[in-house]
Amino acid sequence: MDMDIFNRIISRKFKNIAGDRYEQIAKRYREFLLLPEELVLPEVRSILFPIDRFSLDIPDELLETLSAYSGAFVKLVYVSEERTLRLIEQTLGEEEAEKLRMEKIRFARQTVKDFAPKLERLGLSVLKEPIIGSKSDDVIDMMSAQDFDLLVISRSFGAEPTKTSPTSPVVLKILQHIEKPVIIY
């Protein structure tokens, strides 16, 4: 939408309400209005979509939003925390840690396999990958090394939200280290 058209619409809407005050307000707050180039949506061809056991509830509104990127490539990654396995290994031994590793990989493979059709129905091309690593560091590394256009992440990724923070500390750390657009659901 052209900025001039946008200004005329606003002027017409507030014509009989604010009178001359609208013009003064528009001049004072001009820096807050979007420029024409800012009204253009960036092209999204690749999406990183990390999930874990805390982030499996996907709202319908998110799926509707993602349908706007039909034809894009999505890397759907289920990330299991490696630190947990090291703690198990230190306390219960290597054999128990290996059993847990195998169970985590089995669960991750099944979860991405069950989850991927929701994205594929939107016309997205999905690569499924279960990994064991660091939820924050691996997502940050993938965003920078593989140059994704968009990150889609649950506010619960890595941990349950608390009463004091609606977003998990893992997500906050990720957001501090990436410069690409992010959708948080």
Side-chain angles (χ1 to χ4, degrees):
M1 178 183 292
D2 186 79
M3 205 57 192
D4 186 46
I5 294 171
F6 186 67
N7 285 336
R8 282 187 278 158
I9 290 171
I10 291 175
S11 295
R12 191 172 50 217
K13 171 112 175 132
F14 294 100
K15 182 178 180 184
N16 297 323
I17 297 173
D20 295 348
R21 290 183 52 208
Y22 172 75
E23 297 299 326
Q24 295 171 2
I25 291 169
K27 286 180 184 173
R28 283 188 193 159
Y29 296 99
R30 181 174 302 174
E31 64 268 13
F32 295 108
L33 298 175
L34 294 175
L35 299 171
E37 58 269 15
E38 292 172 323
L39 293 171
V40 177
L41 292 174
E43 185 176 355
V44 173
R45 290 169 282 160
S46 60
I47 302 169
L48 179 62
F49 198 139
I51 58 173
D52 68 357
R53 66 185 179 96
F54 299 108
S55 60
L56 294 177
D57 290 332
I58 310 298
D60 291 339
E61 294 83 8
L62 174 63
L63 295 174
E64 187 176 315
T65 300
L66 292 176
S67 70
Y69 305 120
S70 181
F73 163 74
V74 177
K75 186 170 185 175
L76 178 63
V77 180
Y78 188 100
V79 186
S80 297
E81 190 63 50
E82 189 169 18
R83 280 184 307 174
T84 307
L85 290 172
R86 278 191 256 131
L87 288 173
I88 295 294
E89 188 174 319
Q90 290 171 356
T91 56
L92 299 177
E94 196 172 306
E95 189 175 318
E96 291 301 317
E98 187 57 30
K99 286 180 187 174
L100 181 61
R101 177 184 302 273
M102 298 306 292
E103 180 56 28
K104 281 182 173 262
I105 290 172
R106 187 203 61 75
F107 182 77
R109 283 187 180 139
Q110 188 62 47
T111 301
V112 293
K113 182 180 173 188
D114 293 344
F115 189 84
K118 292 178 184 176
L119 300 174
E120 291 167 342
R121 280 192 291 270
L122 303 174
L124 300 167
S125 171
V126 181
L127 174 66
K128 305 169 277 258
E129 184 178 357
I131 62 170
I132 293 179
S134 167
K135 292 184 180 189
S136 58
D137 294 343
D138 285 350
V139 170
I140 293 167
D141 290 346
M142 282 187 267
M143 280 302 290
S144 61
Q146 297 176 23
D147 198 28
F148 290 98
D149 299 321
L150 177 68
L151 172 66
V152 178
I153 192 165
S154 166
R155 68 183 65 249
S156 302
F157 182 73
E160 292 284 339
T162 63
K163 290 180 181 176
T164 57
S165 175
T167 304
S168 80
V170 172
V171 173
L172 292 175
K173 180 181 176 185
I174 291 168
L175 295 178
Q176 291 170 346
H177 290 84
I178 62 170
E179 296 178 0
K180 296 288 182 145
V182 178
I183 294 176
I184 301 174
Y185 63 94

